[in-house]
Amino acid sequence: MIKMVQLLLRADDITHDEFKERWSGEHAELAKRLPNLEKYVTSVPRDPEKAGYDGIVELYFESTEDLAAAFESPEGERVQADAREFVDLEASPTLVVEETVRLDHSS
């Protein structure tokens, strides 16, 4: 399983609460439509004033090819265009990793 992890910083002209509302509403609905997306997880800090980022997104795909195809698709282009409206993408680091679950008591 391939996972894209992005540490998100909001755009300068919006508050954390505005970021959270947009990200969990309209943007989430767009992101759920990415082709080949297997799992989509968002996390927000409990204390945003002390956190270095406004949120973390994790997108899971079967392969790096599926990940690339998702963001090259029309849906992927819409997701990226929408994110640029409320996320400082240049300041938001992205990692593409291969996840290995070592323990999962929730299964």
PDB file of all heavy atoms in Angstrom, residues 6 8 19-34 40 42 57 59 71 76 78-87 89:
ATOM      1  N   GLN A   6       0.575  14.493   3.700  1.00  0.00           N
ATOM      2  CA  GLN A   6       0.877  15.911   3.520  1.00  0.00           C
ATOM      3  C   GLN A   6       0.563  16.650   4.811  1.00  0.00           C
ATOM      4  O   GLN A   6      -0.510  16.482   5.397  1.00  0.00           O
ATOM      5  CB  GLN A   6       0.063  16.491   2.356  1.00  0.00           C
ATOM      6  CG  GLN A   6       0.536  17.860   1.927  1.00  0.00           C
ATOM      7  CD  GLN A   6      -0.099  18.293   0.614  1.00  0.00           C
ATOM      8  OE1 GLN A   6      -1.219  17.909   0.306  1.00  0.00           O
ATOM      9  NE2 GLN A   6       0.615  19.091  -0.138  1.00  0.00           N
ATOM     10  N   LEU A   8      -0.299  20.041   6.295  1.00  0.00           N
ATOM     11  CA  LEU A   8      -0.918  21.210   5.673  1.00  0.00           C
ATOM     12  C   LEU A   8      -0.832  22.470   6.526  1.00  0.00           C
ATOM     13  O   LEU A   8      -1.093  22.448   7.725  1.00  0.00           O
ATOM     14  CB  LEU A   8      -2.391  20.916   5.390  1.00  0.00           C
ATOM     15  CG  LEU A   8      -2.664  19.730   4.477  1.00  0.00           C
ATOM     16  CD1 LEU A   8      -4.153  19.476   4.379  1.00  0.00           C
ATOM     17  CD2 LEU A   8      -2.061  19.950   3.107  1.00  0.00           C
ATOM     18  N   PHE A  19     -10.170  27.200   7.730  1.00  0.00           N
ATOM     19  CA  PHE A  19      -9.449  26.129   7.049  1.00  0.00           C
ATOM     20  C   PHE A  19     -10.134  24.781   7.311  1.00  0.00           C
ATOM     21  O   PHE A  19     -10.421  24.019   6.398  1.00  0.00           O
ATOM     22  CB  PHE A  19      -7.994  26.087   7.532  1.00  0.00           C
ATOM     23  CG  PHE A  19      -7.276  24.825   7.179  1.00  0.00           C
ATOM     24  CD1 PHE A  19      -6.645  24.691   5.950  1.00  0.00           C
ATOM     25  CD2 PHE A  19      -7.236  23.751   8.062  1.00  0.00           C
ATOM     26  CE1 PHE A  19      -5.989  23.513   5.610  1.00  0.00           C
ATOM     27  CE2 PHE A  19      -6.588  22.575   7.737  1.00  0.00           C
ATOM     28  CZ  PHE A  19      -5.965  22.455   6.511  1.00  0.00           C
ATOM     29  N   LYS A  20     -10.379  24.504   8.573  1.00  0.00           N
ATOM     30  CA  LYS A  20     -10.962  23.215   8.975  1.00  0.00           C
ATOM     31  C   LYS A  20     -12.345  23.011   8.338  1.00  0.00           C
ATOM     32  O   LYS A  20     -12.654  21.918   7.857  1.00  0.00           O
ATOM     33  CB  LYS A  20     -11.041  23.158  10.501  1.00  0.00           C
ATOM     34  CG  LYS A  20     -11.316  21.795  11.040  1.00  0.00           C
ATOM     35  CD  LYS A  20     -11.042  21.698  12.539  1.00  0.00           C
ATOM     36  CE  LYS A  20     -12.045  22.482  13.337  1.00  0.00           C
ATOM     37  NZ  LYS A  20     -11.976  22.192  14.782  1.00  0.00           N
ATOM     38  N   GLU A  21     -13.147  24.058   8.328  1.00  0.00           N
ATOM     39  CA  GLU A  21     -14.490  23.952   7.746  1.00  0.00           C
ATOM     40  C   GLU A  21     -14.424  23.658   6.254  1.00  0.00           C
ATOM     41  O   GLU A  21     -15.130  22.779   5.745  1.00  0.00           O
ATOM     42  CB  GLU A  21     -15.263  25.250   7.992  1.00  0.00           C
ATOM     43  CG  GLU A  21     -16.683  25.195   7.495  1.00  0.00           C
ATOM     44  CD  GLU A  21     -17.461  26.459   7.821  1.00  0.00           C
ATOM     45  OE1 GLU A  21     -17.221  27.053   8.885  1.00  0.00           O
ATOM     46  OE2 GLU A  21     -18.295  26.843   6.992  1.00  0.00           O
ATOM     47  N   ARG A  22     -13.576  24.373   5.528  1.00  0.00           N
ATOM     48  CA  ARG A  22     -13.449  24.163   4.082  1.00  0.00           C
ATOM     49  C   ARG A  22     -12.873  22.788   3.785  1.00  0.00           C
ATOM     50  O   ARG A  22     -13.329  22.070   2.891  1.00  0.00           O
ATOM     51  CB  ARG A  22     -12.555  25.271   3.505  1.00  0.00           C
ATOM     52  CG  ARG A  22     -12.215  25.134   2.046  1.00  0.00           C
ATOM     53  CD  ARG A  22     -13.371  25.541   1.156  1.00  0.00           C
ATOM     54  NE  ARG A  22     -13.065  25.392  -0.232  1.00  0.00           N
ATOM     55  CZ  ARG A  22     -12.518  26.321  -1.000  1.00  0.00           C
ATOM     56  NH1 ARG A  22     -12.237  27.508  -0.507  1.00  0.00           N
ATOM     57  NH2 ARG A  22     -12.275  26.080  -2.261  1.00  0.00           N
ATOM     58  N   TRP A  23     -11.856  22.404   4.547  1.00  0.00           N
ATOM     59  CA  TRP A  23     -11.158  21.156   4.314  1.00  0.00           C
ATOM     60  C   TRP A  23     -12.046  19.949   4.580  1.00  0.00           C
ATOM     61  O   TRP A  23     -12.027  18.966   3.840  1.00  0.00           O
ATOM     62  CB  TRP A  23      -9.917  21.121   5.199  1.00  0.00           C
ATOM     63  CG  TRP A  23      -8.959  20.007   4.973  1.00  0.00           C
ATOM     64  CD1 TRP A  23      -8.563  19.475   3.776  1.00  0.00           C
ATOM     65  CD2 TRP A  23      -8.233  19.310   5.969  1.00  0.00           C
ATOM     66  NE1 TRP A  23      -7.640  18.487   3.980  1.00  0.00           N
ATOM     67  CE2 TRP A  23      -7.413  18.370   5.327  1.00  0.00           C
ATOM     68  CE3 TRP A  23      -8.186  19.391   7.354  1.00  0.00           C
ATOM     69  CZ2 TRP A  23      -6.568  17.510   6.000  1.00  0.00           C
ATOM     70  CZ3 TRP A  23      -7.333  18.532   8.037  1.00  0.00           C
ATOM     71  CH2 TRP A  23      -6.539  17.611   7.359  1.00  0.00           C
ATOM     72  N   SER A  24     -12.851  20.024   5.635  1.00  0.00           N
ATOM     73  CA  SER A  24     -13.686  18.875   5.988  1.00  0.00           C
ATOM     74  C   SER A  24     -15.026  18.869   5.268  1.00  0.00           C
ATOM     75  O   SER A  24     -15.753  17.887   5.340  1.00  0.00           O
ATOM     76  CB  SER A  24     -13.919  18.831   7.505  1.00  0.00           C
ATOM     77  OG  SER A  24     -14.638  19.966   7.916  1.00  0.00           O
ATOM     78  N   GLY A  25     -15.348  19.927   4.567  1.00  0.00           N
ATOM     79  CA  GLY A  25     -16.615  20.011   3.858  1.00  0.00           C
ATOM     80  C   GLY A  25     -16.441  19.855   2.359  1.00  0.00           C
ATOM     81  O   GLY A  25     -16.287  18.743   1.833  1.00  0.00           O
ATOM     82  N   GLU A  26     -16.458  20.977   1.691  1.00  0.00           N
ATOM     83  CA  GLU A  26     -16.409  21.011   0.223  1.00  0.00           C
ATOM     84  C   GLU A  26     -15.193  20.278  -0.339  1.00  0.00           C
ATOM     85  O   GLU A  26     -15.302  19.498  -1.287  1.00  0.00           O
ATOM     86  CB  GLU A  26     -16.390  22.489  -0.196  1.00  0.00           C
ATOM     87  CG  GLU A  26     -16.373  22.753  -1.666  1.00  0.00           C
ATOM     88  CD  GLU A  26     -16.340  24.254  -1.940  1.00  0.00           C
ATOM     89  OE1 GLU A  26     -16.859  25.044  -1.134  1.00  0.00           O
ATOM     90  OE2 GLU A  26     -15.789  24.614  -2.987  1.00  0.00           O
ATOM     91  N   HIS A  27     -14.016  20.520   0.243  1.00  0.00           N
ATOM     92  CA  HIS A  27     -12.800  19.895  -0.283  1.00  0.00           C
ATOM     93  C   HIS A  27     -12.824  18.374  -0.100  1.00  0.00           C
ATOM     94  O   HIS A  27     -12.416  17.633  -0.999  1.00  0.00           O
ATOM     95  CB  HIS A  27     -11.553  20.495   0.377  1.00  0.00           C
ATOM     96  CG  HIS A  27     -10.298  19.995  -0.230  1.00  0.00           C
ATOM     97  ND1 HIS A  27      -9.822  20.452  -1.443  1.00  0.00           N
ATOM     98  CD2 HIS A  27      -9.430  19.050   0.198  1.00  0.00           C
ATOM     99  CE1 HIS A  27      -8.710  19.808  -1.737  1.00  0.00           C
ATOM    100  NE2 HIS A  27      -8.451  18.953  -0.760  1.00  0.00           N
ATOM    101  N   ALA A  28     -13.292  17.916   1.044  1.00  0.00           N
ATOM    102  CA  ALA A  28     -13.350  16.470   1.299  1.00  0.00           C
ATOM    103  C   ALA A  28     -14.233  15.762   0.280  1.00  0.00           C
ATOM    104  O   ALA A  28     -13.908  14.656  -0.174  1.00  0.00           O
ATOM    105  CB  ALA A  28     -13.849  16.204   2.720  1.00  0.00           C
ATOM    106  N   GLU A  29     -15.331  16.398  -0.085  1.00  0.00           N
ATOM    107  CA  GLU A  29     -16.224  15.791  -1.075  1.00  0.00           C
ATOM    108  C   GLU A  29     -15.520  15.645  -2.424  1.00  0.00           C
ATOM    109  O   GLU A  29     -15.714  14.646  -3.119  1.00  0.00           O
ATOM    110  CB  GLU A  29     -17.513  16.600  -1.209  1.00  0.00           C
ATOM    111  CG  GLU A  29     -18.395  16.512   0.024  1.00  0.00           C
ATOM    112  CD  GLU A  29     -18.707  15.071   0.437  1.00  0.00           C
ATOM    113  OE1 GLU A  29     -19.107  14.267  -0.433  1.00  0.00           O
ATOM    114  OE2 GLU A  29     -18.543  14.761   1.626  1.00  0.00           O
ATOM    115  N   LEU A  30     -14.701  16.629  -2.792  1.00  0.00           N
ATOM    116  CA  LEU A  30     -13.928  16.532  -4.038  1.00  0.00           C
ATOM    117  C   LEU A  30     -12.879  15.423  -3.932  1.00  0.00           C
ATOM    118  O   LEU A  30     -12.724  14.614  -4.842  1.00  0.00           O
ATOM    119  CB  LEU A  30     -13.226  17.857  -4.344  1.00  0.00           C
ATOM    120  CG  LEU A  30     -14.074  19.026  -4.786  1.00  0.00           C
ATOM    121  CD1 LEU A  30     -13.228  20.289  -4.875  1.00  0.00           C
ATOM    122  CD2 LEU A  30     -14.734  18.741  -6.128  1.00  0.00           C
ATOM    123  N   ALA A  31     -12.149  15.405  -2.820  1.00  0.00           N
ATOM    124  CA  ALA A  31     -11.049  14.452  -2.656  1.00  0.00           C
ATOM    125  C   ALA A  31     -11.541  13.003  -2.677  1.00  0.00           C
ATOM    126  O   ALA A  31     -10.853  12.117  -3.190  1.00  0.00           O
ATOM    127  CB  ALA A  31     -10.296  14.743  -1.365  1.00  0.00           C
ATOM    128  N   LYS A  32     -12.722  12.752  -2.136  1.00  0.00           N
ATOM    129  CA  LYS A  32     -13.257  11.386  -2.105  1.00  0.00           C
ATOM    130  C   LYS A  32     -13.479  10.823  -3.505  1.00  0.00           C
ATOM    131  O   LYS A  32     -13.596   9.613  -3.673  1.00  0.00           O
ATOM    132  CB  LYS A  32     -14.581  11.341  -1.343  1.00  0.00           C
ATOM    133  CG  LYS A  32     -14.405  11.459   0.149  1.00  0.00           C
ATOM    134  CD  LYS A  32     -15.704  11.113   0.848  1.00  0.00           C
ATOM    135  CE  LYS A  32     -16.319  12.305   1.489  1.00  0.00           C
ATOM    136  NZ  LYS A  32     -17.552  12.004   2.219  1.00  0.00           N
ATOM    137  N   ARG A  33     -13.512  11.685  -4.496  1.00  0.00           N
ATOM    138  CA  ARG A  33     -13.754  11.253  -5.880  1.00  0.00           C
ATOM    139  C   ARG A  33     -12.465  10.927  -6.643  1.00  0.00           C
ATOM    140  O   ARG A  33     -12.522  10.600  -7.836  1.00  0.00           O
ATOM    141  CB  ARG A  33     -14.525  12.340  -6.628  1.00  0.00           C
ATOM    142  CG  ARG A  33     -15.900  12.577  -6.068  1.00  0.00           C
ATOM    143  CD  ARG A  33     -16.663  13.587  -6.907  1.00  0.00           C
ATOM    144  NE  ARG A  33     -17.819  14.041  -6.167  1.00  0.00           N
ATOM    145  CZ  ARG A  33     -18.146  15.306  -5.981  1.00  0.00           C
ATOM    146  NH1 ARG A  33     -17.416  16.260  -6.500  1.00  0.00           N
ATOM    147  NH2 ARG A  33     -19.217  15.627  -5.291  1.00  0.00           N
ATOM    148  N   LEU A  34     -11.304  11.040  -5.990  1.00  0.00           N
ATOM    149  CA  LEU A  34     -10.055  10.722  -6.691  1.00  0.00           C
ATOM    150  C   LEU A  34     -10.085   9.269  -7.170  1.00  0.00           C
ATOM    151  O   LEU A  34     -10.400   8.365  -6.386  1.00  0.00           O
ATOM    152  CB  LEU A  34      -8.860  10.913  -5.759  1.00  0.00           C
ATOM    153  CG  LEU A  34      -8.438  12.344  -5.466  1.00  0.00           C
ATOM    154  CD1 LEU A  34      -7.436  12.381  -4.319  1.00  0.00           C
ATOM    155  CD2 LEU A  34      -7.864  13.007  -6.707  1.00  0.00           C
ATOM    156  N   TYR A  40      -8.874   7.462   2.813  1.00  0.00           N
ATOM    157  CA  TYR A  40      -8.677   8.910   2.909  1.00  0.00           C
ATOM    158  C   TYR A  40      -8.866   9.294   4.372  1.00  0.00           C
ATOM    159  O   TYR A  40      -9.930   9.087   4.938  1.00  0.00           O
ATOM    160  CB  TYR A  40      -9.703   9.585   1.998  1.00  0.00           C
ATOM    161  CG  TYR A  40      -9.842  11.077   2.073  1.00  0.00           C
ATOM    162  CD1 TYR A  40      -8.760  11.917   2.243  1.00  0.00           C
ATOM    163  CD2 TYR A  40     -11.094  11.654   1.927  1.00  0.00           C
ATOM    164  CE1 TYR A  40      -8.918  13.293   2.272  1.00  0.00           C
ATOM    165  CE2 TYR A  40     -11.273  13.027   1.952  1.00  0.00           C
ATOM    166  CZ  TYR A  40     -10.172  13.841   2.120  1.00  0.00           C
ATOM    167  OH  TYR A  40     -10.333  15.198   2.156  1.00  0.00           O
ATOM    168  N   THR A  42      -8.081  12.343   7.413  1.00  0.00           N
ATOM    169  CA  THR A  42      -7.638  13.688   7.774  1.00  0.00           C
ATOM    170  C   THR A  42      -7.514  13.772   9.286  1.00  0.00           C
ATOM    171  O   THR A  42      -8.261  13.127  10.017  1.00  0.00           O
ATOM    172  CB  THR A  42      -8.604  14.778   7.274  1.00  0.00           C
ATOM    173  OG1 THR A  42      -9.890  14.572   7.865  1.00  0.00           O
ATOM    174  CG2 THR A  42      -8.727  14.769   5.760  1.00  0.00           C
ATOM    175  N   VAL A  57      -3.119  15.122   6.009  1.00  0.00           N
ATOM    176  CA  VAL A  57      -3.959  14.296   5.146  1.00  0.00           C
ATOM    177  C   VAL A  57      -3.163  13.055   4.749  1.00  0.00           C
ATOM    178  O   VAL A  57      -1.957  13.122   4.513  1.00  0.00           O
ATOM    179  CB  VAL A  57      -4.466  15.065   3.898  1.00  0.00           C
ATOM    180  CG1 VAL A  57      -3.328  15.508   3.003  1.00  0.00           C
ATOM    181  CG2 VAL A  57      -5.476  14.239   3.126  1.00  0.00           C
ATOM    182  N   LEU A  59      -3.574   9.846   2.058  1.00  0.00           N
ATOM    183  CA  LEU A  59      -4.291   9.264   0.926  1.00  0.00           C
ATOM    184  C   LEU A  59      -3.615   7.946   0.568  1.00  0.00           C
ATOM    185  O   LEU A  59      -2.410   7.899   0.330  1.00  0.00           O
ATOM    186  CB  LEU A  59      -4.262  10.207  -0.279  1.00  0.00           C
ATOM    187  CG  LEU A  59      -4.846  11.598  -0.062  1.00  0.00           C
ATOM    188  CD1 LEU A  59      -4.605  12.465  -1.286  1.00  0.00           C
ATOM    189  CD2 LEU A  59      -6.320  11.515   0.253  1.00  0.00           C
ATOM    190  N   PHE A  71      -3.896  12.057  -9.495  1.00  0.00           N
ATOM    191  CA  PHE A  71      -3.660  13.497  -9.529  1.00  0.00           C
ATOM    192  C   PHE A  71      -3.530  14.052 -10.945  1.00  0.00           C
ATOM    193  O   PHE A  71      -3.628  15.263 -11.143  1.00  0.00           O
ATOM    194  CB  PHE A  71      -2.462  13.869  -8.654  1.00  0.00           C
ATOM    195  CG  PHE A  71      -2.842  13.873  -7.203  1.00  0.00           C
ATOM    196  CD1 PHE A  71      -2.608  12.765  -6.412  1.00  0.00           C
ATOM    197  CD2 PHE A  71      -3.493  14.949  -6.645  1.00  0.00           C
ATOM    198  CE1 PHE A  71      -2.999  12.737  -5.086  1.00  0.00           C
ATOM    199  CE2 PHE A  71      -3.891  14.942  -5.320  1.00  0.00           C
ATOM    200  CZ  PHE A  71      -3.644  13.833  -4.536  1.00  0.00           C
ATOM    201  N   GLY A  76      -8.426  14.911  -9.953  1.00  0.00           N
ATOM    202  CA  GLY A  76      -7.204  15.313  -9.269  1.00  0.00           C
ATOM    203  C   GLY A  76      -6.858  16.766  -9.510  1.00  0.00           C
ATOM    204  O   GLY A  76      -6.417  17.476  -8.598  1.00  0.00           O
ATOM    205  N   ARG A  78      -9.027  19.109 -10.135  1.00  0.00           N
ATOM    206  CA  ARG A  78     -10.001  19.893  -9.353  1.00  0.00           C
ATOM    207  C   ARG A  78      -9.615  19.940  -7.879  1.00  0.00           C
ATOM    208  O   ARG A  78      -9.708  20.985  -7.231  1.00  0.00           O
ATOM    209  CB  ARG A  78     -11.406  19.319  -9.514  1.00  0.00           C
ATOM    210  CG  ARG A  78     -12.085  19.754 -10.800  1.00  0.00           C
ATOM    211  CD  ARG A  78     -13.571  19.428 -10.798  1.00  0.00           C
ATOM    212  NE  ARG A  78     -13.860  18.009 -10.960  1.00  0.00           N
ATOM    213  CZ  ARG A  78     -13.838  17.360 -12.119  1.00  0.00           C
ATOM    214  NH1 ARG A  78     -13.537  18.002 -13.232  1.00  0.00           N
ATOM    215  NH2 ARG A  78     -14.132  16.084 -12.169  1.00  0.00           N
ATOM    216  N   VAL A  79      -9.173  18.813  -7.348  1.00  0.00           N
ATOM    217  CA  VAL A  79      -8.757  18.758  -5.936  1.00  0.00           C
ATOM    218  C   VAL A  79      -7.588  19.711  -5.702  1.00  0.00           C
ATOM    219  O   VAL A  79      -7.585  20.486  -4.737  1.00  0.00           O
ATOM    220  CB  VAL A  79      -8.369  17.309  -5.532  1.00  0.00           C
ATOM    221  CG1 VAL A  79      -7.623  17.282  -4.218  1.00  0.00           C
ATOM    222  CG2 VAL A  79      -9.614  16.438  -5.454  1.00  0.00           C
ATOM    223  N   GLN A  80      -6.615  19.685  -6.578  1.00  0.00           N
ATOM    224  CA  GLN A  80      -5.442  20.543  -6.422  1.00  0.00           C
ATOM    225  C   GLN A  80      -5.797  22.021  -6.575  1.00  0.00           C
ATOM    226  O   GLN A  80      -5.310  22.868  -5.812  1.00  0.00           O
ATOM    227  CB  GLN A  80      -4.358  20.140  -7.415  1.00  0.00           C
ATOM    228  CG  GLN A  80      -3.788  18.762  -7.102  1.00  0.00           C
ATOM    229  CD  GLN A  80      -2.837  18.286  -8.160  1.00  0.00           C
ATOM    230  OE1 GLN A  80      -1.670  18.635  -8.123  1.00  0.00           O
ATOM    231  NE2 GLN A  80      -3.338  17.513  -9.107  1.00  0.00           N
ATOM    232  N   ALA A  81      -6.640  22.343  -7.533  1.00  0.00           N
ATOM    233  CA  ALA A  81      -7.057  23.742  -7.729  1.00  0.00           C
ATOM    234  C   ALA A  81      -7.817  24.240  -6.505  1.00  0.00           C
ATOM    235  O   ALA A  81      -7.614  25.378  -6.049  1.00  0.00           O
ATOM    236  CB  ALA A  81      -7.910  23.872  -8.989  1.00  0.00           C
ATOM    237  N   ASP A  82      -8.687  23.400  -5.964  1.00  0.00           N
ATOM    238  CA  ASP A  82      -9.443  23.787  -4.783  1.00  0.00           C
ATOM    239  C   ASP A  82      -8.515  23.990  -3.588  1.00  0.00           C
ATOM    240  O   ASP A  82      -8.651  24.960  -2.841  1.00  0.00           O
ATOM    241  CB  ASP A  82     -10.506  22.736  -4.468  1.00  0.00           C
ATOM    242  CG  ASP A  82     -11.406  23.174  -3.340  1.00  0.00           C
ATOM    243  OD1 ASP A  82     -12.138  24.176  -3.516  1.00  0.00           O
ATOM    244  OD2 ASP A  82     -11.373  22.537  -2.269  1.00  0.00           O
ATOM    245  N   ALA A  83      -7.565  23.087  -3.392  1.00  0.00           N
ATOM    246  CA  ALA A  83      -6.634  23.190  -2.260  1.00  0.00           C
ATOM    247  C   ALA A  83      -5.841  24.494  -2.317  1.00  0.00           C
ATOM    248  O   ALA A  83      -5.604  25.126  -1.283  1.00  0.00           O
ATOM    249  CB  ALA A  83      -5.685  21.995  -2.243  1.00  0.00           C
ATOM    250  N   ARG A  84      -5.457  24.911  -3.506  1.00  0.00           N
ATOM    251  CA  ARG A  84      -4.687  26.157  -3.644  1.00  0.00           C
ATOM    252  C   ARG A  84      -5.444  27.371  -3.125  1.00  0.00           C
ATOM    253  O   ARG A  84      -4.840  28.384  -2.786  1.00  0.00           O
ATOM    254  CB  ARG A  84      -4.278  26.375  -5.094  1.00  0.00           C
ATOM    255  CG  ARG A  84      -3.098  25.518  -5.528  1.00  0.00           C
ATOM    256  CD  ARG A  84      -2.546  25.938  -6.883  1.00  0.00           C
ATOM    257  NE  ARG A  84      -3.395  25.541  -7.983  1.00  0.00           N
ATOM    258  CZ  ARG A  84      -3.383  24.353  -8.571  1.00  0.00           C
ATOM    259  NH1 ARG A  84      -2.547  23.426  -8.146  1.00  0.00           N
ATOM    260  NH2 ARG A  84      -4.183  24.067  -9.562  1.00  0.00           N
ATOM    261  N   GLU A  85      -6.766  27.277  -3.018  1.00  0.00           N
ATOM    262  CA  GLU A  85      -7.569  28.403  -2.540  1.00  0.00           C
ATOM    263  C   GLU A  85      -7.495  28.590  -1.026  1.00  0.00           C
ATOM    264  O   GLU A  85      -7.779  29.675  -0.528  1.00  0.00           O
ATOM    265  CB  GLU A  85      -9.028  28.231  -2.966  1.00  0.00           C
ATOM    266  CG  GLU A  85      -9.219  28.318  -4.455  1.00  0.00           C
ATOM    267  CD  GLU A  85     -10.667  28.167  -4.866  1.00  0.00           C
ATOM    268  OE1 GLU A  85     -11.555  28.204  -3.983  1.00  0.00           O
ATOM    269  OE2 GLU A  85     -10.908  27.999  -6.070  1.00  0.00           O
ATOM    270  N   PHE A  86      -7.113  27.551  -0.268  1.00  0.00           N
ATOM    271  CA  PHE A  86      -7.096  27.691   1.187  1.00  0.00           C
ATOM    272  C   PHE A  86      -5.888  27.046   1.875  1.00  0.00           C
ATOM    273  O   PHE A  86      -5.729  27.153   3.094  1.00  0.00           O
ATOM    274  CB  PHE A  86      -8.401  27.151   1.806  1.00  0.00           C
ATOM    275  CG  PHE A  86      -8.583  25.665   1.686  1.00  0.00           C
ATOM    276  CD1 PHE A  86      -8.323  24.849   2.773  1.00  0.00           C
ATOM    277  CD2 PHE A  86      -9.020  25.086   0.504  1.00  0.00           C
ATOM    278  CE1 PHE A  86      -8.490  23.476   2.680  1.00  0.00           C
ATOM    279  CE2 PHE A  86      -9.197  23.725   0.403  1.00  0.00           C
ATOM    280  CZ  PHE A  86      -8.926  22.909   1.496  1.00  0.00           C
ATOM    281  N   VAL A  87      -5.013  26.410   1.107  1.00  0.00           N
ATOM    282  CA  VAL A  87      -3.813  25.776   1.653  1.00  0.00           C
ATOM    283  C   VAL A  87      -2.586  26.442   1.041  1.00  0.00           C
ATOM    284  O   VAL A  87      -2.552  26.719  -0.156  1.00  0.00           O
ATOM    285  CB  VAL A  87      -3.788  24.263   1.331  1.00  0.00           C
ATOM    286  CG1 VAL A  87      -2.507  23.612   1.830  1.00  0.00           C
ATOM    287  CG2 VAL A  87      -5.007  23.563   1.901  1.00  0.00           C
ATOM    288  N   LEU A  89       0.320  25.484  -0.300  1.00  0.00           N
ATOM    289  CA  LEU A  89       0.902  24.223  -0.766  1.00  0.00           C
ATOM    290  C   LEU A  89       2.427  24.250  -0.793  1.00  0.00           C
ATOM    291  O   LEU A  89       3.068  23.223  -0.562  1.00  0.00           O
ATOM    292  CB  LEU A  89       0.342  23.847  -2.133  1.00  0.00           C
ATOM    293  CG  LEU A  89      -1.138  23.458  -2.139  1.00  0.00           C
ATOM    294  CD1 LEU A  89      -1.640  23.247  -3.550  1.00  0.00           C
ATOM    295  CD2 LEU A  89      -1.381  22.220  -1.287  1.00  0.00           C
TER     296      LEU A  89
END
